[in-house]
Amino acid sequence: MYRTHTCGELKLENSKEKVVLSGWVKKVREFGGMTFIDLRDRYGITQLVFNMEVNEELCKAAMELGREYVIQVSGAVEERSNKNLNIPTGEIEIIVESLKVLNKSEVPPFTIENQSDGGDDIRMKYRYLDLRRDVVRKNLELRHKMAQAIRSYLSSEGFLEVETPVLIKSTPEGARDFVVPSRMNPHQFYALPQSPQTFKQLLMVAGFDKYFQIVKCFRDEDLRADRQPEFTQIDCEMSFVERDDVLAAFEGLTKQLFREVQNVEFDYDFPKMPFTEAMESYGSDKPDIRFEMKIKELTDIAKNKGFVVFDNADFVGAIKAKGCAEYTRKQLDELTEWVQRPQIGAKGLIYVKYNADGSFKSSVDKFFGADDLKIWAGLLEAKPGDLLFVMAGKRNPTLTQLGTLRLEMAERLGLKDKNTYKPLWVVDFPLLDWDEDTKRFHAMHHPFTSPVDEDIALLGTDPGKVRAKAYDLVINGVELGGGSIRIHDENLQKLMFKQLGFTEEDAKNQFGFLMNAFKYGAPPHGGIAFGFDRWVSMFAGLDSIRDVIAFPKNNSGRDVMIDTPSLISSEQLDELSLDLKKDTK
Amino acid sequence: MYRTHTCGELKLENSKEKVVLSGWVKKVREFGGMTFIDLRDRYGITQLVFNMEVNEELCKAAMELGREYVIQVSGAVEERSNKNLNIPTGEIEIIVESLKVLNKSEVPPFTIENQSDGGDDIRMKYRYLDLRRDVVRKNLELRHKMAQAIRSYLSSEGFLEVETPVLIKSTPEGARDFVVPSRMNPHQFYALPQSPQTFKQLLMVAGFDKYFQIVKCFRDEDLRADRQPEFTQIDCEMSFVERDDVLAAFEGLTKQLFREVQNVEFDYDFPKMPFTEAMESYGSDKPDIRFEMKIKELTDIAKNKGFVVFDNADFVGAIKAKGCAEYTRKQLDELTEWVQRPQIGAKGLIYVKYNADGSFKSSVDKFFGADDLKIWAGLLEAKPGDLLFVMAGKRNPTLTQLGTLRLEMAERLGLKDKNTYKPLWVVDFPLLDWDEDTKRFHAMHHPFTSPVDEDIALLGTDPGKVRAKAYDLVINGVELGGGSIRIHDENLQKLMFKQLGFTEEDAKNQFGFLMNAFKYGAPPHGGIAFGFDRWVSMFAGLDSIRDVIAFPKNNSGRDVMIDTPSLISSEQLDELSLDLKKDTK
């Protein structure tokens, strides 16, 4: 038996007990003929004591232990004279009677402390050491706790967790698939699922009624900072539901998770905001509503005053930065440059200072007098001391640019309280999105999303105007999940494919099995999928999903710890009937 | 709102309530001016009634409904005159007041009844209809229940569920990997995990202490009837444990699962049987101990009596078939042919009838008199009326052949009671297995399995004799899971790789990251993995795992419903820098 207790559980009431502990040597300190060791395991830290006068040999053995050695000790629990009340075991120590080295350790490339990680490259290469640090392990403990809470809640609500296949079929719609060559079917490939979308719909056709799964999904995309080639979704689907049934079910899940894991209680229904309102007021389809600072449109009152920028614009809008009228020239220039960076791409930034004395100072003083600016200020409910930012141009990018500036100003003004959570449902998304490159409409959500009933007639005449029965759960500006009511009518689905530019042949090739299934009594159904990694990282208070994943990949899709992807043998390639193309791009 | 209740919940106490139900039309019957419909959903069946006299139009609409139409009805709950007490809703019916067809259905290729499935090919092609059948859906409900019970038990025992990556590195040891070409790293490949073995060991190095995961694993093998290219494991690992700690932990899980799901209580410790005993007594490393019929060795007393078959054999053994002395010549011939089939490969089968009158009749009467046979009978504790089967040859295949015959006789004699469960741990497996083809030892379990301490010295001198700290959980002749204590010592691991014929280079290439990790304080650790699909199928009373998987693949690894694997576009191949080899085998 390697231990009677863990390093996190011995307290004052265990005094005088004989115990056996195992763990890692965190620190060795010598002090006046005594040697103290902090012994660490997953559960905590316990202080070990060796006394030169009592047992010289043992004490010397202890002095030779290196950091991260794995040891086993036996001894008696004693009350500590020098208590550390910051840790649960801080009132006791172990007077060690015997010591066994279970395994040695080379000097680790960084110390296993919350503040020390050796930098990102080293952390990832030695991820098994990085995971020893409390701060990292706690994220994965949180992930475990959330997964159990989700499963337990959804099970109690009658949802069945069903495993859908990982080796499925490649479909060109959507992001790029990872593919898997089949040895038994030469020149044919499986694909890894971007989501279990079609399978969960088939489960509804199969009468499963309520399905969920916490499931790995895969996307072969060029990776941005917060993307991983494999990620985890909470995937859900229900039958015989309208939109609000789905929202109610998953608002329930959300509230339960906040209650159980974050100790946060929501005693109100989450607001539902139409997509157009989110765009017009917040310049984003995932508005952060922890703070106001809404966008106000000035187009009508700003045009035809001789300022060519406004006159040529089809949209003029502004936000108000509370109490910022004293911003310096330098600060304003820096913000102007900030919005002009290619990531945002604004042409420029106009400011209006509503000075504390009631006067106005703006970068458009030449065209707008105090009377004009006072009207603007009124529209934005600005008070003396406030600062307005105005942008103009095409409606679409300008709203987004204002929205981005809004988030930045909130950051600078400290309005993004990490301990405040403001959830909402964004609803009534457009069904289709016009793509200039391919000159065709794309499904904004996916091709099975149902249009809003009263908009179906527009599908043939003005497809861009059709709203979808789609919804996103947004919390603090983060899209945690999204879904839709699906099309269950075969003819409507055919019309939809047509609008998306699929030939009947294409549609049949790619989705034939789903369309076939729909011929045999598909119930009305809809669902949602949440980004589990993102949800965990929100609860952990992290900006990136990387540290809520045990073994993440880097931005080139590599696992630097196990060094993969890697070459395979020519025998493997032969078996798969594949050749490597000589000229690679 | 599509429904106020499901089709499985209305009872007599709901009489007179106005309700709305949705579901599938299972059956339409007309009877004396009335139309009855069985409406089905996941939760049950409710009888709908339409009366020609009360509402002719509605009744006619009902008569036009086809099987598997999806409908919504509203009406009042009434007590049934003709009660069906076999179903929970059998005391009531719904007097329908309005009817809406939510979706039509073509005539399904087979009726959705427990007894009707249209045959395997049709079932698989229309799996979404097959899944509508109660018998199939119940298997997946059982699977859900078991998964929740496993997670809840292991969580309560302090295990953390950690997701390990799916895109990992190809390792030639073991079965064949599925590989995934990397677009961003041309000519390099990921592999799909055959198990998370190395990652769970890294988690132990990381101090995670107790890990589990219910996880998809992948093997590109030629498929036998009961194999799937993707399958699910309950994967577990613990630190600071000896073998018996692991067995105790998972005996706990096993007992809890039986208690919670099967309502079976084990009030005893599972027996531990050494591998050699299993082979000698049962001719199998997964003995079915629901019944005795143990193999007894006759070598010493059977040799040197002039029978050349025995004299040339290095092993003679027998089993006893209770009460079978009256088997006819025909029956005995048929059994002889049965054991001579290539799947078993026995040279022949000798019988000894211990007749009811105390006399003997055997196929070796020429060489063995009644006195000899009486000694045999004594060894096998045979009584008048019993039949002995004797086989001879090399010890190894002969034991297995006798073991196979033992199972077959148990089947014929009705000794395999499906409602009796007899678990045991098989322990002390050989560490290494000699492979005649490659002329080298292979790891019987995997290359990280620890040898039994007192056998380590034999590694250099007599490797075939070394026992492993490996164990299997066997129930009713089915291996549900297996595992081992791992090697945590770097030098022992190196010695092991050497015995397996790995060059230092090979070992470094394939397992370098694990060996590196072991340099930084690897704790003693061990674990186990269970075949989840198999466990569910045992609880479901099925012989195959296929029906406990929602969307299984066929024996060529194809999903015939979605028709995959399939061709991909040349653009996809270009992006992956791959060519299809012209000449395929």
Side-chain angles (χ1 to χ4, degrees), chain B residues 33-279:
Chain B
M34 316 271 277
T35 298
F36 298 91
I37 289 181
D38 283 348
L39 189 67
R40 189 197 61 232
D41 67 10
R42 171 181 140 197
Y43 311 93
I45 289 168
T46 299
Q47 179 164 293
L48 311 179
V49 189
F50 302 79
N51 193 326
M52 205 65 173
E53 279 176 26
V54 176
N55 188 333
E56 187 179 335
E57 197 184 351
L58 196 64
C59 197
K60 278 188 172 159
M63 285 160 68
E64 271 169 32
L65 295 173
R67 276 196 289 124
E68 302 307 319
Y69 273 44
V70 187
I71 62 169
Q72 181 187 34
V73 296
S74 62
V77 182
E78 288 288 348
E79 184 169 359
R80 227 153 120 173
S81 54
N82 200 355
K83 294 197 172 69
N84 174 359
L85 297 179
N86 294 321
I87 60 171
T89 59
E91 293 191 276
I92 58 96
E93 60 194 8
I94 311 294
I95 311 300
V96 177
E97 286 155 20
S98 77
L99 162 69
K100 186 176 174 190
V101 174
L102 298 174
N103 221 339
K104 295 187 176 190
S105 173
E106 293 191 3
V107 176
F110 52 89
T111 55
I112 313 296
E113 303 276 358
N114 287 347
Q115 310 313 329
S116 137
D117 63 17
D120 239 27
D121 290 351
I122 294 286
R123 284 183 65 196
M124 289 303 138
K125 180 153 187 209
Y126 297 91
R127 182 65 168 173
Y128 44 88
L129 296 180
D130 191 34
L131 287 169
R132 276 189 202 162
R133 299 191 305 130
D134 267 7
V135 283
V136 183
R137 195 196 59 248
K138 278 188 196 311
N139 296 332
L140 291 161
E141 288 175 346
L142 171 69
R143 187 180 179 110
H144 167 78
K145 191 176 176 192
M146 287 177 69
Q148 298 310 113
I150 291 162
R151 288 194 166 99
S152 147
Y153 179 81
L154 291 177
S155 298
S156 74
E157 293 286 311
F159 285 80
L160 293 175
E161 186 161 27
V162 179
E163 293 172 57
T164 53
V166 176
L167 297 172
I168 66 163
K169 188 173 175 141
S170 187
T171 54
E173 186 75 359
R176 208 184 275 106
D177 286 324
F178 282 106
V179 296
V180 182
S182 165
R183 178 182 55 87
M184 289 206 280
N185 304 273
H187 295 175
Q188 297 188 27
F189 293 75
Y190 302 99
L192 303 181
Q194 296 182 30
S195 92
Q197 184 64 34
T198 46
F199 288 96
K200 68 175 173 176
Q201 293 196 243
L202 289 170
L203 285 172
M204 294 305 108
V205 176
F208 270 55
D209 206 82
K210 288 175 171 181
Y211 144 92
F212 83 102
Q213 192 181 186
I214 300 183
V215 60
K216 276 278 174 76
C217 301
F218 306 86
R219 255 177 232 168
D220 184 12
E221 286 178 332
D222 297 319
L223 301 172
R224 288 187 264 136
D226 205 25
R227 284 271 175 90
Q228 287 281 320
E230 52 180 298
F231 55 98
T232 304
Q233 281 191 0
I234 311 163
D235 192 52
C236 311
E237 196 81 4
M238 307 170 76
S239 289
F240 300 114
V241 286
E242 317 262 18
R243 185 196 75 181
D244 286 354
D245 299 317
V246 179
L247 300 195
F250 294 98
E251 194 165 312
L253 170 67
T254 308
K255 287 177 172 174
Q256 177 59 25
L257 260 190
F258 269 94
R259 186 179 299 128
E260 197 174 331
V261 181
Q262 292 297 83
N263 205 20
V264 169
E265 192 70 42
F266 293 109
D267 55 3
Y268 58 86
D269 293 342
F270 296 175
K272 291 177 186 126
M273 186 185 292
F275 169 81
T276 46
E277 184 186 334
M279 291 307 296

Side-chain angles (χ1 to χ4, degrees), chain A residues 2-3 22 24 42-43 68 70 102-107 128 131-132 137 140-141 143-144 148 151 155 158-170 176 178-183 185 187-190 199 202 205-210 216 218 220-222 230 232 239-241 488 513 517 519-524 550-551 553 556-558 561-568 572 574-581 584-585, chain B residues 2-3 22 24 42-43 68 70 102-107 128 131-132 137 140-141 143-144 148 151 155 158-170 176 178-183 185 187-190 199 202 205-210 216 218 220-222 230 232 239-241 488 513 517 519-524 550-551 553 556-558 561-568 572 574-581 584-585:
Chain A
Y2 281 104
R3 59 188 174 192
S22 290
W24 285 263
R42 171 182 140 197
Y43 309 94
E68 302 307 318
V70 187
L102 298 172
N103 220 340
K104 295 187 174 190
S105 173
E106 293 190 5
V107 176
Y128 44 88
L131 287 169
R132 276 190 201 160
R137 195 196 60 246
L140 292 160
E141 288 175 346
R143 186 180 181 111
H144 166 79
Q148 299 310 114
R151 288 194 167 99
S155 297
F159 285 81
L160 293 175
E161 185 162 26
V162 180
E163 295 171 55
T164 52
V166 176
L167 297 172
I168 67 162
K169 188 172 175 143
S170 188
R176 208 183 277 107
F178 282 105
V179 296
V180 181
S182 165
R183 178 181 54 88
N185 304 273
H187 295 175
Q188 298 189 27
F189 293 75
Y190 303 99
F199 289 95
L202 289 171
V205 176
F208 271 55
D209 204 82
K210 289 176 171 181
K216 276 277 173 78
F218 305 86
D220 184 12
E221 285 179 331
D222 298 318
E230 52 179 298
T232 304
S239 287
F240 301 115
V241 286
H488 64 277
F513 55 95
K519 289 179 184 156
Y520 296 98
F551 300 101
K553 295 193 172 52
S556 322
R558 294 198 72 81
M561 178 186 69
I562 62 169
D563 191 24
T564 196
S566 56
L567 301 175
I568 60 173
Q572 278 175 294
D574 283 349
E575 282 193 324
L576 297 171
S577 306
L578 289 178
D579 277 326
L580 303 179
K581 211 183 261 302
T584 65
K585 303 138 294 172
Chain B
Y2 280 104
R3 59 187 173 192
S22 289
W24 285 263
R42 171 181 140 197
Y43 311 93
E68 302 307 319
V70 187
L102 298 174
N103 221 339
K104 295 187 176 190
S105 173
E106 293 191 3
V107 176
Y128 44 88
L131 287 169
R132 276 189 202 162
R137 195 196 59 248
L140 291 161
E141 288 175 346
R143 187 180 179 110
H144 167 78
Q148 298 310 113
R151 288 194 166 99
S155 298
F159 285 80
L160 293 175
E161 186 161 27
V162 179
E163 293 172 57
T164 53
V166 176
L167 297 172
I168 66 163
K169 188 173 175 141
S170 187
R176 208 184 275 106
F178 282 106
V179 296
V180 182
S182 165
R183 178 182 55 87
N185 304 273
H187 295 175
Q188 297 188 27
F189 293 75
Y190 302 99
F199 288 96
L202 289 170
V205 176
F208 270 55
D209 206 82
K210 288 175 171 181
K216 276 278 174 76
F218 306 86
D220 184 12
E221 286 178 332
D222 297 319
E230 52 180 298
T232 304
S239 289
F240 300 114
V241 286
H488 65 276
F513 56 97
K519 288 180 184 156
Y520 295 99
F551 300 101
K553 296 191 170 55
S556 323
R558 293 200 71 82
M561 177 187 70
I562 62 170
D563 191 22
T564 196
S566 57
L567 301 176
I568 60 174
Q572 278 175 293
D574 283 348
E575 283 194 322
L576 298 171
S577 307
L578 289 178
D579 277 327
L580 302 179
K581 211 183 261 303
T584 66
K585 303 138 293 168

Side-chain angles (χ1 to χ4, degrees), chain B residues 214-476:
Chain B
I214 300 183
V215 60
K216 276 278 174 76
C217 301
F218 306 86
R219 255 177 232 168
D220 184 12
E221 286 178 332
D222 297 319
L223 301 172
R224 288 187 264 136
D226 205 25
R227 284 271 175 90
Q228 287 281 320
E230 52 180 298
F231 55 98
T232 304
Q233 281 191 0
I234 311 163
D235 192 52
C236 311
E237 196 81 4
M238 307 170 76
S239 289
F240 300 114
V241 286
E242 317 262 18
R243 185 196 75 181
D244 286 354
D245 299 317
V246 179
L247 300 195
F250 294 98
E251 194 165 312
L253 170 67
T254 308
K255 287 177 172 174
Q256 177 59 25
L257 260 190
F258 269 94
R259 186 179 299 128
E260 197 174 331
V261 181
Q262 292 297 83
N263 205 20
V264 169
E265 192 70 42
F266 293 109
D267 55 3
Y268 58 86
D269 293 342
F270 296 175
K272 291 177 186 126
M273 186 185 292
F275 169 81
T276 46
E277 184 186 334
M279 291 307 296
E280 299 282 330
S281 294
Y282 300 93
S284 168
D285 60 357
K286 34 179 199 270
D288 189 337
I289 59 170
R290 278 177 294 183
F291 48 93
E292 282 272 326
M293 217 195 287
K294 285 187 195 175
I295 299 169
K296 300 287 173 181
E297 178 161 5
L298 305 177
T299 315
D300 288 345
I301 53 175
K303 283 182 86 144
N304 304 316
K305 300 278 180 171
F307 183 38
V308 64
V309 172
F310 287 177
D311 290 349
N312 290 339
D314 77 332
F315 174 84
V316 183
I319 58 169
K320 171 186 71 186
K322 237 183 140 101
C324 294
E326 312 231 319
Y327 264 33
T328 61
R329 180 84 229 168
K330 199 176 153 199
Q331 281 174 298
L332 293 167
D333 285 350
E334 184 263 328
L335 271 171
T336 307
E337 274 167 37
W338 190 88
V339 298
Q340 287 176 328
R341 293 174 313 143
Q343 297 96 308
I344 302 177
K347 295 244 171 66
L349 182 64
I350 290 146
Y351 71 84
V352 178
K353 289 182 175 179
Y354 191 176
N355 294 316
D357 62 6
S359 68
F360 288 91
K361 171 81 190 94
S362 81
S363 50
V364 288
D365 280 350
K366 227 195 276 184
F367 308 98
F368 299 92
D371 288 351
D372 293 315
L373 299 178
K374 191 143 202 172
I375 295 172
W376 297 10
L379 258 170
L380 284 133
E381 298 174 34
K383 297 205 169 57
D386 292 347
L387 174 67
L388 308 186
F389 290 113
V390 186
M391 284 179 166
K394 279 197 148 189
R395 174 172 289 266
N396 208 343
T398 308
L399 277 170
T400 314
Q401 289 155 2
L402 273 167
T404 310
L405 177 63
R406 175 182 175 270
L407 292 178
E408 175 66 16
M409 289 310 300
E411 188 70 49
R412 297 187 182 198
L413 297 172
L415 303 178
K416 292 181 168 179
D417 177 8
K418 281 219 172 187
N419 296 313
T420 301
Y421 296 98
K422 290 281 186 186
L424 79 155
W425 293 105
V426 177
V427 297
D428 290 343
F429 281 85
L431 182 69
L432 302 167
D433 214 13
W434 179 256
D435 183 56
E436 268 303 323
D437 291 345
T438 57
K439 298 281 176 207
R440 68 176 179 97
F441 281 107
H442 282 259
M444 186 135 165
H445 196 66
H446 58 63
F448 314 114
T449 300
S450 176
V452 166
D453 296 343
E454 55 265 39
D455 292 359
I456 291 180
L458 293 173
L459 259 179
T461 56
D462 194 356
K465 280 266 164 64
V466 179
R467 289 166 301 163
K469 290 182 183 169
Y471 33 80
D472 279 356
L473 176 65
V474 174
I475 303 184
N476 294 2

